[in-house]
């Protein structure tokens, strides 16, 4: 069964090829069957392979498969080869299954849009690239998937290319992530020069053999890889592209946020965890970046009015939690949060998309309201997703994964009370902005007429994801609540265990109660401010200081403003003063000299035979003179 | 047999060559231009013969035979071109064919 691993990424690529080359001639139904079916088939194989992997694990809990050697140059011979271990299984399952549900949803969502086949072609390529990224057994193939994902995000964000703003958002996403990709590229060069191989497992063994903990080379390599991860996963300081990526169609956002792209950074760090463990200082940086990102984007989400932008900032914030987990060495907890986040964030985006399409493409939350009765399926599933995002205690998946991160950020050897406090504040903010969104959108009075009812292909993915957002967390129960760490046990063959001093375990329940109470308080505050007692909210927001804060947070803490002034404006200025291209003058000068000579010489071409004869005579005389006298 | 000094012979050859050259440059009638070229060829041939007789070598006369042969071939081609020119422009003025195109 495991030998069929290659089918998982191959089918989406095949779907892409069919849709890209024949898309214009196919009917909508055929496009749907190819586009959705390819991911469905891929998901089916992924599930079968995963079951096979779990029931009869291969030797060493890892399986690798080489299809062919990609190239062989000067000691570098990356193969088109895949590597499957327990972490990859989780990523593969989430990408294909959540990806399939998003594709199923898109089949209805995009039905009236132009470029139906183009959309599915890009989506299939996106899933195929992401699968290549996670299944790659060497960093070169991983980089291919990495860049493929970047390309597809560009294509999909700018999908509705007739509006120039969408093209701008697409370019922004491409350029900003490129900054990180360059750092990662340099990191790969460094690893190859110093370790002589880019086969991930071989390289990790070699790194721990040759490098000391804290050696400068390990720190440089880890920092460069972190640069790539930060760009793709939209963490500080490269987070600015993700909110603008909302320009793409909503299923695209769901795919980017939940199943592909932004989790690539988390995957990269977890995959190369050995290098990060050799550079403890970079581990701390990862944790701090995660903590700073989660708090900054949490506050930003609190002020947004566009429902998709709230979700975008919440994604940045939740990935911040994953980075925090990775940074404190809680590898399994980070991957666990990735999985639950994929469920509830895909659900929330798909739910938001359903609302948007039912309200005539209205995205402003304050023009929604009262949708609870009119869109019951969307409401209940959205509520499940929101509860999971806000980590409602005991019953949601988000609680179990976020609680693990909060706990390890305090108790792990690399953790600290400060990280825990920031993460706790972030969790509090998360519950406020999540339920602010729920109360404004679904409760209160209706402000826009519902003109459209979602069909089955929209409802089914929502319901499945809603169920997963609730029960997805029960596969990892903390010590205080049943002590059934099935997920982290499964992870241990791929990722190292976290070390927690035993005596702290006795107080774990205190932390859980604090987190739970804060979440409930956050929901209560949101209920008071945005539903029950809106006069109080108005009073708070009218104060001058909160107005200024609101503006500051709304703009995403002014990062766009700073980057515009630091990088964009100087570049545009340079481009403007160099409009005539100074460096081109030399070459155009050569061309000019030739042109002048040409004009002069062509004057002698009169066509009069006797003039030519005179020319010959003078030439002969000069030649004779030179021969005889010189 | 009266012997002629080499200077006199070369002078004759030079005068002939100059006459041909001047004819080539001042005439517009293309037939006369062709004739002038022939005169220049013969002047060069004469110089070969004079040189051959001065050093008592047969090479000069051999070379002259070559030049004659070549001149005959060249004249046949040249006359053919002149005929074409005449058919086309209804004139034998060389300047009439000063445009390169057409």
């Amino acid at each position: 069964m495991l030998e069929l691993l290659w089918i998982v990424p191959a089918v989406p690529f095949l779907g892409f090829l069919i849709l890209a080359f024949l898309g214009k001639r196919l009917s909508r139904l055929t496009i749907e069957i190819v586009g959705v079916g390819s991911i469905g088939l891929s998901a089916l194989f992924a599930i079968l392979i995963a079951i096979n992997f779990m029931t009869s694990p291969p030797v060493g809990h890892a399986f690798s498969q080489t299809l062919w050697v990609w190239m062989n140059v000067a000691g570098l011979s990356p193969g088109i080869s895949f590597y499957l271990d327990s972490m990859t299984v989780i990523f593969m399952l989430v990408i294909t299954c959540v990806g399939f549900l998003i594709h199923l949803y898109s089949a209805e969502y995009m039905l009236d849009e132009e470029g139906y086949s183009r959309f599915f072609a890009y989506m299939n390529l996106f899933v195929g690239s992401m699968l290549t990224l996670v299944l790659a057994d060497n960093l070169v193939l991983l980089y291919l998937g990495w860049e493929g994902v970047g390309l597809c995000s560009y294509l999909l964000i700018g999908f509705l290319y007739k509006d120039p703003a969408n093209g701008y958002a697409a370019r922004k996403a491409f350029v900003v992530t490129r900054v990180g990709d360059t750092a990662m590229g340099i990191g790969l060069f460094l690893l190859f020069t110093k370790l002589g191989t880019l086969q991930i497992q071989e390289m990790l063994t070699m790194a721990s053999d040759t490098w000391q903990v804290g050696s400068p080379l390990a720190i440089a390599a880890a920092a460069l890889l972190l640069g790539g991860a930060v760009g793709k996963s939209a963490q500080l300081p490269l987070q600015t592209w993700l909110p603008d990526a909302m320009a793409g169609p909503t299923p695209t956002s769901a795919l980017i946020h939940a199943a592909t792209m932004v989790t690539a950074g988390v995957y990269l760090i977890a995959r190369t965890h050995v290098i990060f463990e050799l550079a403890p200082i970079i581990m701390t940086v990862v944790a701090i970046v995660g903590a700073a990102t989660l708090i900054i984007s949490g506050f930003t989400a609190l002020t947004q009015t566009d429902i998709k932008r709230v979700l975008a900032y919440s994604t940045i914030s939740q990935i911040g939690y994953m980075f925090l987990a990775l940074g404190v060495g809680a590898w399994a907890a980070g991957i666990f949060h990735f999985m639950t986040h994929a469920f509830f964030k895909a659900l929330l985006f798909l739910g938001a998309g359903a609302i948007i399409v039912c309200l005539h493409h209205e995205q402003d939350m304050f023009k929604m309201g009262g949708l609870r009765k009119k869109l019951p399926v969307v409401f209940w599933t959205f509520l499940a997703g929101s509860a999971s995002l806000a980590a409602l205690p005991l019953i949601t998946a988000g609680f179990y994964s976020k609680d693990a991160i909060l706990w390890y950020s305090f108790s792990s050897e690399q953790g600290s009370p400060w990280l825990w406090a920031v993460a706790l504040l972030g969790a509090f903010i998360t519950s406020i902005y999540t339920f602010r969104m729920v109360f404004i959108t679904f409760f209160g009075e209706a402000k826009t007429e519902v003109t459209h009812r979602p069909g089955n292909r929209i409802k089914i993915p929502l319901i499945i994801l809603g169920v997963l957002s609730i029960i997805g967390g029960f596969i990892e129960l903390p010590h205080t609540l049943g002590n059934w760490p099935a997920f982290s046990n499964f992870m241990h063959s791929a990722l190292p265990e976290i070390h927690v001093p035993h005596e702290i375990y006795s107080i774990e329940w205190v932390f859980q109660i604090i987190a739970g109470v804060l979440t409930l308080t956050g929901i209560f505050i949101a209920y008071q401010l945005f539903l029950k007692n809106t006069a109080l909210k108005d009073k708070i927001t009218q104060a001058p200081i909160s107005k200024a804060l609101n503006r500051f947070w709304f703009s995403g803490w002014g990062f766009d403003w700073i980057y515009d002034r630091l990088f964009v404006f100087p570049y545009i200025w340079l481009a403007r003063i160099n409009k005539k291209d100074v460096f081109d003058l030399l070459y155009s000068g050569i061309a000019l000299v030739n042109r002048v000579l040409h004009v002069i010489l062509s004057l002698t071409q009169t066509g009069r035979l006797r003039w030519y004869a005179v020319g010959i005579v003078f030439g002969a005389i000069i030649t004779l003179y030179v021969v005889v006298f010189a | 047999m009266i012997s002629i000094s080499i200077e006199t012979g070369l002078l004759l050859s030079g005068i002939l060559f100059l006459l041909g050259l001047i004819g080539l440059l001042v005439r517009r009638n293309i037939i006369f231009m062709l004739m002038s070229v022939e005169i220049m060829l013969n002047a060069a041939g004469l110089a070969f013969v004079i040189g051959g007789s001065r050093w008592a070598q047969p090479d000069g006369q051999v070379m002259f035979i070559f030049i004659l042969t070549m001149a005959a071939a060249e004249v046949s081609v040249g006359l053919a071109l002149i005929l074409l020119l005449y058919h086309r422009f209804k004139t034998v003025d060389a300047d009439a064919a000063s445009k390169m195109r057409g």
Side-chain angles (χ1 to χ4, degrees):
Chain A
M1 191 69 221
L2 290 178
E3 280 71 32
L4 297 177
L5 181 63
W6 61 274
I7 292 180
V8 177
V11 179
F13 280 125
L14 187 68
F16 160 71
L17 287 178
I18 293 173
L19 291 173
F21 289 109
L22 302 173
K24 287 221 168 114
R25 293 188 207 146
L26 301 177
S27 68
R28 296 226 155 194
L29 185 67
T30 327
I31 293 169
E32 196 181 313
I33 290 169
V34 173
V36 181
S38 64
I39 307 296
L41 197 63
S42 178
L44 189 70
F45 274 100
I47 291 169
L48 291 176
I49 288 169
I51 290 172
N52 194 278
F53 186 90
M54 287 175 204
T55 49
S56 55
V59 186
H61 289 275
F63 169 78
S64 61
Q65 179 180 39
T66 302
L67 297 185
W68 68 86
V69 174
W70 184 5
M71 54 180 141
N72 193 346
V73 188
L76 175 72
S77 55
I80 302 290
S81 43
F82 302 124
Y83 178 83
L84 189 76
D85 65 2
S86 51
M87 181 172 74
T88 319
V89 167
I90 297 297
F91 270 89
M92 182 177 77
L93 276 180
V94 170
I95 292 164
T96 52
C97 296
V98 176
F100 169 67
L101 293 175
I102 295 169
H103 275 72
L104 185 63
Y105 173 96
S106 319
E108 183 175 330
Y109 186 89
M110 298 300 290
L111 202 57
D112 301 327
E113 299 279 347
E114 266 177 59
Y116 198 61
S117 68
R118 189 164 59 94
F119 181 78
F120 276 107
Y122 292 165
M123 295 280 271
N124 278 4
L125 183 62
F126 209 156
V127 173
S129 305
M130 191 66 192
L131 285 168
T132 314
L133 196 164
V134 297
L135 287 171
D137 91 324
N138 58 72
L139 283 173
V140 183
L141 188 60
L142 185 146
Y143 200 64
L144 179 74
W146 188 271
E147 294 299 327
V149 167
L151 169 71
C152 292
S153 70
Y154 168 78
L155 292 172
L156 281 168
I157 294 167
F159 182 75
L160 305 165
Y161 58 87
K162 283 177 185 155
D163 183 356
N166 294 345
Y168 177 79
R171 283 198 300 279
K172 185 173 175 185
F174 198 69
V175 170
V176 173
T177 51
R178 190 58 14 135
V179 176
D181 292 357
T182 311
M184 182 181 161
I186 298 170
L188 296 196
F189 291 135
L190 178 74
L191 286 171
F192 182 67
T193 352
K194 293 299 167 193
L195 298 176
T197 178
L198 287 175
Q199 297 290 320
I200 296 171
Q201 300 307 319
E202 202 180 317
M203 184 195 80
L204 294 181
T205 325
M206 226 147 156
S208 55
D209 287 350
T210 49
W211 287 342
Q212 302 289 316
V213 172
S215 77
L217 277 175
I219 289 175
L224 288 166
L225 291 179
L226 173 63
V230 156
K232 269 287 185 282
S233 288
Q235 298 292 292
L236 278 179
L238 297 176
Q239 84 287 30
T240 55
W241 66 269
L242 194 59
D244 288 311
M246 293 301 107
T250 310
T252 308
S253 310
L255 196 62
I256 290 180
H257 286 249
T260 59
M261 184 90 178
V262 291
T263 49
V266 178
Y267 174 79
L268 179 70
I269 294 180
R271 179 91 288 174
T272 56
H273 62 90
V274 174
I275 293 173
F276 282 85
E277 279 166 340
L278 290 172
I281 184 162
I282 300 296
M283 289 277 280
T284 316
V285 171
V286 173
I288 291 172
V289 163
T293 310
L294 77 89
I295 200 82
I296 284 180
S297 46
F299 276 114
T300 313
L302 203 54
T303 56
Q304 299 298 316
T305 55
D306 182 330
I307 187 165
K308 283 176 76 180
R309 283 183 90 89
V310 176
L311 293 173
Y313 279 108
S314 89
T315 300
I316 301 179
S317 172
Q318 296 307 308
I319 299 200
Y321 275 104
M322 294 176 211
F323 268 60
L324 176 62
L326 300 178
V328 298
W331 307 104
I335 305 301
F336 185 38
H337 195 56
F338 151 74
M339 193 184 80
T340 58
H341 175 257
F343 296 150
F344 64 70
K345 192 47 64 70
L347 167 63
L348 288 174
F349 264 112
L350 298 185
I355 296 169
I356 289 166
V357 89
C358 292
L359 294 181
H360 264 299
H361 294 274
E362 179 58 65
Q363 301 198 4
D364 189 341
M365 288 196 299
F366 288 95
K367 292 186 181 147
M368 298 170 181
L371 296 174
R372 181 166 46 111
K373 295 262 167 55
K374 285 176 183 148
L375 301 169
V377 176
V378 178
F379 168 66
W380 286 108
T381 51
F382 200 87
L383 190 67
S386 299
S388 199
L389 171 60
L392 197 68
L394 302 179
I395 55 166
T396 59
F399 168 73
Y400 292 101
S401 59
K402 202 181 277 180
D403 177 67
I405 295 176
L406 284 173
W407 166 239
Y408 289 129
S409 70
F410 178 82
S411 63
S412 138
E413 277 167 2
Q414 291 102 323
S416 85
W418 288 106
L419 291 174
W420 173 74
V422 171
L424 193 66
L425 180 61
F428 177 59
I429 302 287
T430 306
S431 67
I432 296 183
Y433 73 67
T434 309
F435 277 86
R436 168 181 176 264
M437 176 171 71
V438 172
F439 289 132
I440 291 175
T441 313
F442 288 100
F443 291 83
E445 63 208 51
K447 287 166 193 135
T448 310
E449 200 58 32
V450 175
T451 53
H452 181 88
R453 301 271 165 193
N456 278 337
R457 278 170 300 179
I458 284 187
K459 281 182 188 162
I460 291 170
L462 287 180
I463 293 169
I464 295 176
L465 285 169
V467 171
L468 285 174
S469 305
I470 298 296
I471 64 161
F474 295 132
I475 53 169
E476 168 93 1
L477 298 176
H479 299 270
T480 48
L481 297 164
N483 194 5
W484 193 60
F487 186 85
S488 32
N489 283 346
F490 181 56
M491 279 295 120
H492 285 161
S493 58
L495 294 166
E497 275 184 67
I498 185 166
H499 305 291
V500 176
H502 271 285
E503 58 274 15
I504 309 186
Y505 271 126
S506 54
I507 53 164
E508 189 177 352
W509 60 274
V510 181
F511 288 85
Q512 283 167 339
I513 286 177
I514 295 175
V517 167
L518 266 180
T519 301
L520 292 172
T521 319
I523 296 172
F524 179 71
I525 290 175
Y527 171 71
Q528 281 293 331
L529 287 182
F530 299 103
L531 194 62
K532 194 82 189 295
N533 199 349
T534 46
L536 180 66
K537 182 203 86 176
D538 291 339
K539 209 190 226 163
I540 296 174
T541 50
Q542 287 311 312
I545 178 145
S546 53
K547 265 189 175 171
L549 262 184
N550 190 23
R551 253 204 314 279
F552 181 56
W553 288 346
F554 185 76
S555 66
W557 294 51
F559 274 100
D560 274 331
W561 189 85
I562 293 171
Y563 288 166
D564 273 352
R565 265 144 199 84
L566 269 183
F567 304 111
V568 180
F569 291 167
Y571 187 80
I572 292 175
W573 177 75
L574 263 180
R576 192 176 298 138
I577 59 166
N578 196 20
K579 214 181 215 164
K580 297 221 174 75
D581 199 352
V582 183
F583 304 100
D584 218 22
L585 280 182
L586 177 66
Y587 304 104
S588 50
I590 292 173
L592 189 74
V593 168
N594 276 312
R595 206 174 278 271
V596 168
L597 284 176
H598 153 76
V599 169
I600 292 170
L601 281 174
S602 69
L603 283 180
T604 64
Q605 298 285 311
T606 54
R608 288 174 194 275
L609 201 52
R610 290 173 302 150
W611 279 106
Y612 295 169
V614 171
I616 294 170
V617 169
F618 274 102
I621 289 172
I622 291 168
T623 313
L624 278 177
Y625 183 84
V626 169
V627 169
V628 176
F629 295 102
Chain B
M1 188 143 172
I2 311 156
S3 76
I4 302 167
S5 72
I6 186 168
E7 287 83 6
T8 324
L10 282 181
L11 190 66
L12 175 65
S13 152
I15 289 170
L16 271 175
F17 189 86
L18 268 180
L19 277 174
L21 185 61
I22 292 167
L24 178 70
L25 293 184
V26 299
R27 286 283 187 171
R28 286 168 67 184
N29 189 325
I30 198 158
I31 296 174
F32 278 95
M33 288 168 79
L34 190 64
M35 284 165 69
S36 305
V37 171
E38 292 306 313
I39 293 171
M40 286 158 75
L41 271 175
N42 282 304
L46 183 60
F48 271 111
V49 174
I50 291 165
S53 94
R54 164 67 179 77
W55 280 287
Q57 296 279 332
D59 300 10
Q61 292 180 32
V62 171
M63 196 56 80
F64 184 64
I65 302 291
F66 274 127
I67 291 175
L68 266 186
T69 323
M70 196 225 32
E74 178 237 306
V75 163
S76 59
V77 176
L79 280 174
L81 283 174
I82 289 170
L83 266 177
L84 275 178
L85 189 78
Y86 182 73
H87 275 298
R88 185 142 201 166
F89 297 102
K90 300 286 173 237
T91 173
V92 284
D93 184 351
D95 287 356
S98 66
K99 295 279 179 287
M100 280 192 178
R101 58 187 168 276

